[in-house]
Amino acid sequence: MSLKKATLLILIILIVDQVSKLYIKTHFALNESVEVFSWFQILFVENEGMAWGTKISDIVSFISDRTAKVCLTIFRILAVIGIGYWLNKSIKEKQSKTLIFAVSLILAGALGNIIDSVFYGVLFDSSAGQVASFLPVEGGYDAVFHGKVVDMLHFPLWSGVLPDWIPFYGGQYFTFFEPVFNIADMAISTGIGILIFFNRRAFNNEEKVKETETSLD
């Protein structure tokens, strides 16, 4: 997979991700939802932390939420730089298409969420109780590096009270699948899934081996 194709893939995912987030921010108030199907909803939530809404300050209690937010954003930026280097190195070394495709997905997703974290605080005003405005005259809801990631895809495939015989959670009301996510999250999860489930194909570079064998024949 060439650098040109990888870049195009990343740009397509970024555009789809950001267009969907811009639409949600300018058409939905926070926690507003629309039921598309019984098992699929558009639900607008904002994530201040990591996966599942976890904050660094929840783990490291001696730092404030705002400091934790800046640390998380900086970590994301450094991670993207590292992933970008990995992608460029993989392309130059002509690694497998599977690996390059997966890393491209992860990089695109990481970039999509970084845009929210870095810029959305100054690009939009608050969505609490109202539909946010883009580039508000009175300024955004927070400073640079303090933006919240926009999530909107919700798949409550099943909801109900769990049987009493289930350990720990028996008798409790439960929803599967509870997390709300976005296009960027989907790209990251898909890329990681490819690396896990197609590990041998991605890292053993079978495609390159086959090409070499063909040229030798």
Side-chain angles (χ1 to χ4, degrees), residues 24-25 27-33 44-45 127-132:
I24 292 298
K25 281 289 291 184
H27 289 79
F28 284 68
L30 191 64
N31 296 319
E32 184 178 350
S33 66
F44 174 30
V45 300
S127 294
Q130 64 176 8
V131 175

Side-chain angles (χ1 to χ4, degrees), residues 48 55-72 146:
E48 298 185 52
K55 301 178 184 178
I56 293 178
S57 53
D58 294 335
I59 304 170
V60 185
S61 58
F62 60 84
I63 62 175
S64 66
D65 285 347
R66 292 188 65 80
T67 301
K69 176 63 179 175
V70 173
C71 291
L72 177 60
H146 289 281

Side-chain angles (χ1 to χ4, degrees), residues 113-124:
N113 284 336
I114 279 179
I115 291 173
D116 299 28
S117 296
V118 175
F119 299 112
Y120 273 30
V122 296
L123 293 179
F124 298 96

